[in-house]
Amino acid sequence: MNVLLTGGTGYIGSHTAVVLSQLGHEVVLYDNLSNSSDAVLEKIAQIVGQDFPFVRGDVRDTELLRNTLASHSMDAVIHFAGLKAVGESVAKPVDYYANNVQGTISLLQAMQAQQVKSLVFSSSATVYGQPQYLPLDENHPTSATNPYGRSKLYIEEMLKDVASSDHGWRIACLRYFNPVGAHQSGLIGENPNGLPNNLMPYIAQVAAGQRSELGVFGDDYPTNDGTGVRDYIHVMDLAEGHAAALDFLTKTTGWHAINLGTGKGYSVLEMVGAFERASSRKVPYRMTSRRAGDVAECYANPKRAGELFKWTARRSLDDMCASTWRFQQSVELGGS
Ligand code: NAD
Ligand code: UD1
């Protein structure tokens, strides 16, 4: 299949490009490089042994997207492109709606013009808002607590309308839980600019000595050890989930929401312990107050993905930590 990956040089996009290419798909990457670097192109080419076509452009450039879909005879699109930092979205809501919502409208216009009607969208477990029950299945009510989450929710609703307007559309909204880890080569991974917002890159930088300690956001949650519990999923499992979604879309039409998670939650302190084992380094931490907007626990019911995609996450927490550490060390050596 010929597949366009918007946001393809980003963290999840680059791992998915590797997986799809190794399964025999023809992959084209499209990215404005606002949160990634084209250096990743060399790394993924090194992993799979061939170059990837790359178009530098913004998803709001409908004409460029349309030309890209046409010139590469695309069959499907995986739409990763978007902004993703919750705190920043509160400060800059217009940027978030412009990039995420307007960007998706532009993509849909280009797809419609080229009659490309298979779409996999990067959604998030954030669309469940405050969990009313656990584990979270896809029938859990949706809501949003910040502009980032609201942009994902609006896009999901928009895609639902598109699918009901024309039964030729095939759309999968993949609700990711907490993606972590890196490709086993250590060549690609998550390397955020500045202070990491998320737990795993923060822990990795503390283990590497780049930061002195981790602040643990709250130790008084009603969990086993008082710290927040999340469903961490290895980015390579997530990437394989996208390949399974594409395959599923060849056999079905309509709009579908599917969780991509493991179904198992780990606390912050369990993550620290696992990382210390994987890296043989100490990760000093200090308890701090809760972060606004955080929930005590969040984990998936991954049953639907198993049934529809014949996919389950198979990599362990140790794999997640070991691969993150391998990537962190390659970054320290000036890798990327
Ligand atoms: P990322 O920032 O590494 O990748 C996103 C890519 O999109 C970047 O390369 C960026 O340069 C590009 N981009 C942003 N705006 C663009 C635009 N207007 N036009 C073209 N390219 C643009 O993020 P990621 O972690 O790989 O996330 C991919 C998708 O998955 C995002 O939509 C994100 O919201 C979603 N998601 C991520 C997580 C997570 O924890 N990483 C969790 C849930 C959902
Ligand atoms: C965050 C986003 C969520 C997004 C997800 C993507 C918020 C409020 N939520 O979720 O919308 O979809 O990332 O992966 O930003 N923690 C610490 N210290 C840190 C960082 C995190 O203790 O320095 C704790 C958090 O309180 C939480 C856990 O670690 O319990 C995971 O945090 P994080 O990686 O930021 O993910 P989420 O909060 O689940």
Side-chain angles (χ1 to χ4, degrees):
M1 207 184 266
N2 296 340
V3 192
L4 182 73
L5 309 193
T6 75
T9 47
Y11 172 46
I12 304 170
S14 56
H15 290 79
T16 304
V18 166
V19 165
L20 293 180
S21 172
Q22 287 176 334
L23 287 170
H25 295 287
E26 296 296 331
V27 177
V28 175
L29 310 185
Y30 185 104
D31 203 298
N32 68 0
L33 303 181
S34 59
N35 196 37
S36 54
S37 152
D38 57 5
V40 83
L41 293 166
E42 214 174 285
K43 310 282 181 189
I44 57 179
Q46 201 179 327
I47 294 171
V48 302
Q50 70 180 61
D51 287 338
F52 287 80
F54 172 64
V55 178
R56 181 169 186 176
D58 195 290
V59 281
R60 287 164 291 176
D61 186 342
T62 316
E63 220 23 58
L64 181 61
L65 266 180
R66 203 172 70 77
N67 290 337
T68 308
L69 291 172
S71 58
H72 294 275
S73 305
M74 289 295 157
D75 302 304
V77 177
I78 306 184
H79 182 33
F80 296 103
L83 301 180
K84 62 166 186 176
V86 172
E88 187 185 55
S89 81
V90 175
K92 299 178 179 172
V94 180
D95 287 1
Y96 273 67
Y97 294 122
N99 253 280
N100 297 2
V101 180
Q102 195 180 326
T104 305
I105 293 172
S106 165
L107 172 65
L108 290 168
Q109 287 168 331
M111 291 177 74
Q112 234 155 9
Q114 287 310 124
Q115 293 289 298
V116 178
K117 294 184 175 176
S118 290
L119 175 64
V120 176
F121 171 61
S122 292
S123 189
S124 165
T126 192
V127 301
Y128 295 120
Q130 186 80 21
Q132 294 174 19
Y133 59 82
L134 289 166
L136 292 159
D137 60 35
E138 292 84 353
N139 297 321
H140 185 284
T142 54
S143 67
T145 52
N146 54 68
Y148 166 70
R150 213 155 2 255
S151 75
K152 293 290 177 193
L153 208 48
Y154 290 161
I155 295 167
E156 282 208 2
E157 293 298 316
M158 213 162 64
L159 296 178
K160 216 184 273 181
D161 291 337
V162 169
S164 11
S165 71
D166 169 351
H167 298 299
W169 279 93
R170 303 154 185 269
I171 299 177
C173 293
L174 304 184
R175 294 175 176 166
Y176 311 156
F177 280 68
N178 291 57
V180 295
H183 186 264
Q184 57 271 22
S185 62
L187 288 169
I188 53 172
E190 187 177 21
N191 187 18
N193 293 328
L195 198 67
N197 294 308
N198 297 115
L199 179 66
M200 192 63 136
Y202 208 109
I203 290 181
Q205 292 187 6
V206 173
Q210 289 175 16
R211 301 192 185 277
S212 57
E213 61 180 11
L214 169 75
V216 177
F217 300 151
D219 62 353
D220 56 352
Y221 285 109
T223 59
N224 274 348
D225 58 23
T227 65
V229 167
R230 295 292 183 274
D231 185 339
Y232 297 95
I233 175 169
H234 198 300
V235 67
M236 290 303 290
D237 279 328
L238 197 66
E240 289 167 5
H242 289 74
L246 281 179
D247 191 40
F248 168 69
L249 290 184
T250 63
K251 301 173 199 137
T252 190
T253 58
W255 180 94
H256 306 267
I258 297 107
N259 285 341
L260 293 185
T262 67
K264 186 159 175 35
Y266 290 101
S267 74
V268 175
L269 293 184
E270 284 173 323
M271 295 301 286
V272 168
F275 207 91
E276 288 185 333
R277 285 194 301 280
S279 63
S280 305
R281 297 277 181 99
K282 282 306 282 176
V283 177
Y285 63 85
R286 181 172 52 86
M287 296 301 177
T288 66
S289 52
R290 291 181 178 194
R291 178 171 66 180
D294 271 358
V295 300
E297 286 191 283
C298 175
Y299 51 92
N301 178 340
K303 199 163 155 241
R304 186 178 287 178
E307 286 167 1
L308 300 184
F309 292 177
K310 312 280 175 265
W311 167 94
T312 63
R314 45 196 185 90
R315 293 168 177 83
S316 67
L317 182 59
D318 289 346
D319 292 334
M320 301 180 211
C321 295
S323 60
T324 303
W325 183 235
R326 210 169 299 132
F327 175 67
Q328 179 67 40
Q329 287 174 300
S330 84
V331 171
E332 279 175 67
L333 293 171
S336 58

